[in-house]
Amino acid sequence: MSRGSGKGLSLKDKLDGNELDLSLCDLNEVPVRELAALPKATVLDLSCNNLISLPSDFCSLMHLVKLDLSKNRLQQLPLDFGRLVNLQHLDLLNNRLVTLPVSFAQLKNLKWLDLKDNPLDPVLAKVAGDCLDEKQCKQAAVKVLEHMKAIQSEQDRQRQRKLQAEREMEKKREAEQRAKEALERELRKREKAEEKERRRREYDAQKAAKQEMEKKTKKETVHTRKPASSSRPPQPLRHKPSWSRSVLRVLLFVLFCILCTLAACKLTELQHQPLCVSVNTLYEDVVAALQNHKTLQSMLQHNSHQ
């Protein structure tokens, strides 16, 4: 195996029973694929290398029982590190870890843990305590697992509360949406009823107007037909215009006769007859009298203008 790459020399040459020692190999990365091909290697030593992080597929090495990652430069462990459920012994001495992934709580078979010489979060550091002997390292494993389980439970509760809040919010939105839809349906129903009532009033108004028009037309028709079919105007009103017309006819006839007599006496040979001489003399006297009477003359002028 060449330094830094983890490739070259076969890992089988490093395998001793179920133990695989890759310490002090100046590794920058873990040869996960080659390790996965050696399920018998349940004890893996990767201490004293240059590992900054572990690849996510490292957690597929579920056959590991003992893992030594001490004296590297690990800043964090993979989020699904808890998949290594068969892990019993874990050495993380002298790395750069601050926290552990929540999935760490799933390492139910973990019996031994060393977290010394890491810049741990104060709470986690207090929980882990020292690992100066076998007893302290076993206690560290138990206490850290309990601590991580508590964190996991709290996160689960937070997720549940968040999920419950989201469900309640969703129910509230659904209720508001249903209320809004119900209100919209009620408004549409009310508008439809108002529109129907408006059309009904318009229909009634049109019908009433039509009936009124028919009644008025019928009444006018009756009044129009009444003079032709009913009795004539009262007799006194009928006799009065007839009497006036008769008098007017008599006067016109007398005037016509006078004019004819004057014309005969003025224009014919009868003007020398005694009767025509009298008529002509009377006509000239009347004309002279009318000309000398200013009032009558004004009246005659006014009548002539009309």
Side-chain angles (χ1 to χ4, degrees):
M1 181 184 297
S2 62
R3 292 178 179 273
S5 64
K7 297 181 181 180
L9 185 63
S10 175
L11 294 183
K12 290 183 180 180
D13 298 333
K14 293 275 188 179
L15 183 62
D16 183 10
N18 65 339
E19 297 182 7
L20 181 60
D21 187 0
L22 298 179
S23 63
L24 299 169
C25 291
D26 200 21
L27 295 177
N28 294 319
E29 58 183 23
V30 180
V32 176
R33 185 173 299 178
E34 290 82 354
L35 292 173
L38 298 173
K40 292 182 179 180
T42 58
V43 178
L44 177 61
D45 188 354
L46 291 170
S47 63
C48 301
N49 282 292
N50 298 316
L51 301 177
I52 298 176
S53 63
L54 299 177
S56 59
D57 56 351
F58 180 85
C59 300
S60 65
L61 303 177
M62 298 175 62
H63 59 278
L64 295 177
V65 175
K66 184 177 181 180
L67 177 61
D68 190 350
L69 292 167
S70 63
K71 298 181 181 179
N72 278 281
R73 293 183 293 170
L74 295 174
Q75 298 179 3
Q76 61 182 7
L77 298 179
L79 294 178
D80 56 348
F81 193 80
R83 291 176 59 193
L84 302 175
V85 292
N86 294 313
L87 200 60
Q88 299 179 16
H89 187 286
L90 178 59
D91 193 345
L92 294 170
L93 171 71
N94 195 9
N95 277 279
R96 299 177 182 178
L97 298 173
V98 177
T99 60
L100 297 175
V102 178
S103 65
F104 199 92
Q106 300 172 12
L107 301 178
K108 58 183 180 179
N109 292 314
L110 190 64
K111 302 293 189 297
W112 194 96
L113 176 63
D114 188 356
L115 287 171
K116 290 193 309 297
D117 299 331
N118 280 281
L120 296 175
D121 176 80
V123 176
L124 180 59
K126 184 177 180 180
V127 171
D130 292 328
C131 182
L132 301 177
D133 54 34
E134 188 74 12
K135 182 179 179 180
Q136 288 182 344
C137 292
K138 288 182 178 181
Q139 289 178 350
V142 174
K143 291 181 178 179
V144 169
L145 281 179
E146 291 177 352
H147 176 69
M148 298 309 298
K149 287 179 181 178
I151 292 176
Q152 186 180 47
S153 298
E154 180 61 26
Q155 289 187 356
D156 290 341
R157 286 192 294 270
Q158 289 179 358
R159 281 194 295 269
Q160 288 296 327
R161 286 194 293 267
K162 184 178 180 181
L163 182 61
Q164 183 66 24
E166 290 177 352
R167 288 175 179 173
E168 291 178 357
M169 185 61 68
E170 182 64 24
K171 289 181 180 179
K172 184 178 180 181
R173 285 195 294 267
E174 291 177 355
E176 291 176 351
Q177 182 65 25
R178 288 194 296 270
K180 182 179 178 181
E181 291 175 355
L183 180 60
E184 290 177 352
R185 286 195 299 270
E186 183 66 24
L187 289 175
R188 287 195 297 269
K189 184 177 179 181
R190 187 181 303 172
E191 291 175 355
K192 187 176 180 180
E194 291 176 354
E195 179 65 18
K196 184 176 181 180
E197 179 64 18
R198 185 185 63 80
R199 291 199 304 266
R200 187 188 65 78
R201 288 197 298 268
E202 289 180 355
Y203 173 78
D204 292 343
Q206 292 175 359
K207 185 176 180 180
K210 184 177 180 181
Q211 291 176 351
E212 185 67 22
M213 184 64 68
E214 289 176 353
K215 187 185 296 184
K216 184 176 180 181
T217 303
K218 186 176 180 181
K219 187 175 181 180
E220 290 177 353
T221 303
V222 171
H223 283 303
T224 303
R225 291 178 179 176
K226 188 174 181 181
S229 58
S230 62
S231 59
R232 294 180 180 179
Q235 194 67 22
L237 296 176
R238 184 184 61 207
H239 289 317
K240 184 175 181 181
S242 299
W243 179 80
S244 300
R245 285 195 293 272
S246 299
V247 173
L248 182 61
R249 288 195 189 102
V250 171
L251 292 175
L252 290 174
F253 178 74
V254 172
L255 181 60
F256 178 74
C257 293
I258 293 172
L259 291 175
C260 290
T261 303
L262 288 173
C265 291
K266 285 285 188 182
L267 302 175
T268 63
E269 294 177 354
L270 295 176
Q271 60 183 338
H272 299 294
Q273 295 295 326
L275 180 60
C276 288
V277 172
S278 301
V279 169
N280 291 333
T281 303
L282 180 62
Y283 172 74
E284 290 175 357
D285 293 340
V286 169
V287 170
L290 290 174
Q291 289 178 349
N292 292 328
H293 198 290
K294 293 182 180 181
T295 302
L296 290 177
Q297 187 176 2
S298 298
M299 291 178 63
L300 289 174
Q301 287 178 355
H302 177 71
N303 291 332
S304 65
H305 286 310
Q306 290 181 346

